[in-house]
Amino acid sequence: MTARRTVKRSRLTNKECSVARAMEVVGDRWSILLLREAYYGTKRFDEFQYYLGVAPNILSGRLKKFVDLGMMTRAPLPEHGGRHKYVLTKKGRDFFPTYLALKKWGDDWLAEQAGPQVVFRERSSGRPIEYPVPVSARGKPLELEDIEIVAGSGAVPFNRKRFGGQLPHAKVKPRGSNRVARKSATQGK
């Protein structure tokens, strides 16, 4: 197989990969930091700009992207005519455990010697929250070596071959018919 065909196939495989798709949404510094601020309770454009120190055009683009993707909604501020607030939707809130995992890794490996800048606690008990850890069916923590990678139900032929699994003998579906429909910004509030 030529290098050209290999590159083309890997791009197709990456296009179908859920991680590659997620990175298109949150895979840059400002997107992750904007979500961090939203998890801290920031809602207004000027507050995001103040806490992030980001240029207004970059912030505007990221907020628009999150609204268009249904991760946030844009709602008018009643006390300020013509101004808006940005509120996380279920889709945006569901990214929180992923953010926590990234934060934990940063706290463990990159924080200053004094410790992390911010700690999350459970409101009712005041205890630090438990960070997501992969666990077995019996609740035992898993290491990378304990995890098997297999082809999923939506795997493209390249990944079925790479990670095992037979190609199904099914009817050919029209292109894009197996993708999950995206919710509009007004859904998932």
Side-chain angles (χ1 to χ4, degrees), residues 67-105:
V67 169
D68 290 348
L69 291 170
M71 292 184 71
M72 293 179 138
T73 58
R74 184 174 178 244
L77 283 168
E79 67 274 13
H80 291 87
R83 297 186 71 190
H84 295 84
K85 65 181 177 178
Y86 295 86
V87 181
L88 290 163
T89 63
K90 178 166 177 17
K91 186 176 183 180
R93 295 168 69 87
D94 280 354
F95 186 78
F96 187 63
T98 306
Y99 168 79
L100 286 178
L102 182 62
K103 181 186 179 319
K104 179 174 179 3
W105 183 84

Side-chain angles (χ1 to χ4, degrees), residues 44-65:
R44 292 182 8 198
F45 187 95
D46 59 333
E47 293 172 331
F48 281 113
Q49 189 174 17
Y50 176 78
Y51 290 121
L52 294 173
V54 61
N57 61 322
I58 293 172
L59 177 57
S60 179
R62 296 314 186 280
L63 286 168
K64 182 180 182 333
K65 175 178 80 170

Side-chain angles (χ1 to χ4, degrees), residues 1-11:
M1 182 176 283
T2 67
R4 188 176 192 172
R5 275 182 100 184
T6 303
V7 170
K8 188 174 182 180
R9 177 178 290 166
S10 70
R11 279 189 287 209

Side-chain angles (χ1 to χ4, degrees), residues 5-23:
R5 275 182 100 184
T6 303
V7 170
K8 188 174 182 180
R9 177 178 290 166
S10 70
R11 279 189 287 209
L12 175 62
T13 302
N14 286 335
K15 182 181 171 189
E16 301 297 328
C17 173
S18 297
V19 173
R21 288 179 179 173
M23 292 303 292

